[in-house]
Amino acid sequence: MFAPHTYIERRKKLKEKVGTGIILLLGNEESSINFKDNWYHYRQDSSFLYYFGITHPGLTGIINCDSGEEIIFGDELTIDHIVWSGSQPTIAQLASKCGVNKTLPTSKIASSLKGLVHYLPPYRTKNQWKLSEWLGSPMNFISKGASIELIKAIVSMRSYKTAEELTEIEKAVNITADMHLGAMRYAKKGMLEAEIVGKIQQIAISGGGNLSFPVILSKDGQILHNHYHGNVLQEGDMILCDTGAETTMGYAGDMTRTFPVGHEFTQRQKELYQIVLDTHEAAIAALTPGIQYKDVHLLAGKTLVNGLIEVGLMKGNAEEAVSAGAHTMFFQCGLGHMMGLDVHDMEDLGEQYVGYNDSLNKSTIFGLKSLRLGKKLEKDFVITVEPGIYIIPELIDMWKAENKHAEFINYDLLETYKDFGGIRIEEDFVITESGSRLLGKPVAKTINDVEQVRAESLGLMHE
Ligand code: GLY
Ligand code: MN
């Protein structure tokens, strides 16, 4: 946890921004996997963490904008809990760590919620159910009743990372870098993908925290979020590894590397890898306060298309191809997202409020609808840059049957790439006064550097 004054100041600012009414922030409970007492790894709600910092299940906080009163609600452990889980600080002791000096049992919440109550859209059914009970409102009205003022106020605070947050994020990114280097050094032909996932998880947990999201790792890198790890790796395969750590305080890292199972990429892999790398570098060079991230995304699309034209997979004019959306045959998702206490920071509050604003709406067209961040970048935003090329056989078949964008896509050559897989390169950046700064230590990224790591790990010399 940060020192109490961090949380006191954050709550003070939030009260000023929201102005009037009661702000209700729900912490998370333990969540059962397959029977009541078998729980998922516990994760506190990120906005609760931001304003109260306490990683403890079953707490709720209220901040009264009118009277200034702040209360943490929770129930003390019974002897039965202590027998199984050990003793814990009292609720008052926990609350004092974030500068809250009033606590009450959970049973007192409903009677404390009089008048205007601001709450966030719940993403767990249990919290939806609690809100329904406390506010006397039907379950299906709860999400609609979430406070836009509170969402906007929280986004306007959590989007700008302070120095102490950046230190914590950088800690997560450094562990993330170790996870990637560990995977790159560990992989060998004949291995099950799951063996590398195990290695990655070991490094994340050894770092003191956990994963910031379930590992995405596969030779089928064209599947954007592939959590299947049952393939046996063979020479000639590429592994796409997208993974991140979170610190004990909940701050995330998120990186992607793509590397060969053997010690070298094949010629085709090299060509497309270089295109993704060039796109990644072009996007990074464009990062600066004031630029719309949507424009960086479109610039990345143009760089990607120029590379694909060079290898013959696309044709025509790159700018026109991107305007028409033809690049989404290869790059179906967005260039990146905000990162902080969530790997997709504040996504539970709504992408329209986090990545867009009143003057820029999120698109609904294929490709752009998956761009989580489109608005202008500002100093102290933390974002990811993650371009990729994904060869998706079903998409090729579908578009080819419709002759879609045939003036830009060379379908005959693309047919021969159907078993190619996917490539993504991802790093995390903080936006500075004049540009951006890479977070965490660098991890091999050029073809030569990646092959060097692979050669060393396989006990081979690399020219
Ligand atoms: N790293 C997973 C994602 O950004 O969606
Ligand atoms: Mn990401």
Side-chain angles (χ1 to χ4, degrees), residues 51-73:
Y51 292 102
F52 297 103
I54 311 167
T55 305
H56 191 87
L59 301 179
T60 305
I62 66 171
I63 304 168
N64 190 319
C65 299
D66 304 302
S67 69
E69 190 175 51
E70 299 172 337
I71 310 172
I72 288 184
F73 296 87

Side-chain angles (χ1 to χ4, degrees), residues 242 254 337 344 384 386 426:
D242 181 349
D254 182 13
H337 49 84
H344 291 175
T384 69
E386 47 180 310
E426 176 180 24

Side-chain angles (χ1 to χ4, degrees), residues 51-341:
Y51 292 102
F52 297 103
I54 311 167
T55 305
H56 191 87
L59 301 179
T60 305
I62 66 171
I63 304 168
N64 190 319
C65 299
D66 304 302
S67 69
E69 190 175 51
E70 299 172 337
I71 310 172
I72 288 184
F73 296 87
D75 297 321
E76 306 298 346
L77 295 186
T78 64
I79 191 64
D80 284 320
H81 291 124
I82 292 167
V83 165
W84 288 96
S85 311
S87 61
Q88 296 286 332
T90 62
I91 305 297
Q93 283 166 337
L94 290 170
S96 72
K97 291 186 182 178
C98 64
V100 172
N101 48 34
K102 181 166 181 183
T103 62
L104 286 171
T106 310
S107 59
K108 301 282 184 208
I109 294 179
S111 57
S112 309
L113 297 173
K114 297 278 178 277
L116 175 63
V117 178
H118 299 277
Y119 62 87
L120 297 174
Y123 52 90
R124 290 196 183 187
T125 314
K126 184 72 185 281
N127 281 350
Q128 195 176 357
W129 175 84
K130 283 183 184 177
L131 285 166
S132 169
E133 189 173 287
W134 296 339
L135 300 171
S137 185
M139 281 279 273
N140 55 347
F141 285 137
I142 288 297
S143 288
K144 289 188 208 109
S147 163
I148 308 297
E149 292 106 299
L150 180 60
I151 290 172
K152 287 186 171 175
I154 291 182
V155 170
S156 77
M157 292 180 66
R158 285 182 55 189
S159 296
Y160 304 91
K161 273 58 181 185
T162 60
E164 62 184 355
E165 287 187 288
L166 287 172
T167 302
E168 203 54 32
I169 293 172
E170 202 138 23
K171 222 187 269 177
V173 182
N174 278 329
I175 300 166
T176 302
D178 288 340
M179 289 152 68
H180 279 277
L181 266 175
M184 219 184 265
R185 290 188 179 131
Y186 189 65
K188 290 199 178 39
K189 68 178 176 189
M191 265 185 184
L192 201 60
E193 293 163 335
E195 293 178 63
I196 309 169
V197 174
K199 181 78 187 167
I200 289 168
Q201 199 144 350
Q202 178 223 319
I203 298 169
I205 292 170
S206 307
N210 213 301
L211 296 170
S212 53
F213 58 98
V215 177
I216 296 164
L217 182 141
S218 179
K219 72 182 192 63
D220 289 323
Q222 77 281 5
I223 302 169
L224 296 177
H225 282 179
N226 196 341
H227 299 297
Y228 175 75
H229 313 300
N231 295 304
V232 175
L233 297 165
Q234 290 167 3
E235 186 81 31
D237 289 339
M238 265 186 313
I239 301 169
L240 186 152
C241 173
D242 181 349
T243 189
E246 73 170 20
T247 63
T248 44
M249 285 178 58
Y251 285 91
D254 182 13
M255 290 173 66
T256 307
R257 286 293 184 269
T258 309
F259 58 88
V261 169
H263 81 282
E264 284 182 334
F265 290 102
T266 65
Q267 187 54 32
R268 273 195 166 182
Q269 289 168 351
K270 260 186 204 163
E271 285 172 4
L272 297 204
Y273 188 96
Q274 190 60 46
I275 296 171
V276 177
L277 185 59
D278 291 345
T279 303
H280 185 69
E281 298 297 354
I284 295 165
L287 299 179
T288 192
I291 194 166
Q292 272 203 166
Y293 202 60
K294 186 178 174 185
D295 291 335
V296 184
H297 170 84
L298 295 173
L299 167 82
K302 213 175 97 183
T303 313
L304 201 79
V305 172
N306 275 322
L308 290 166
I309 290 172
E310 263 180 49
V311 297
L313 282 165
M314 290 191 77
K315 53 194 174 181
N317 176 284
E319 190 126 11
E320 287 169 17
V322 172
S323 300
H327 64 297
T328 61
M329 166 58 81
F330 301 91
F331 181 32
Q332 302 82 6
C333 56
L335 183 65
H337 49 84
M338 302 273 242
M339 191 183 82
L341 276 168

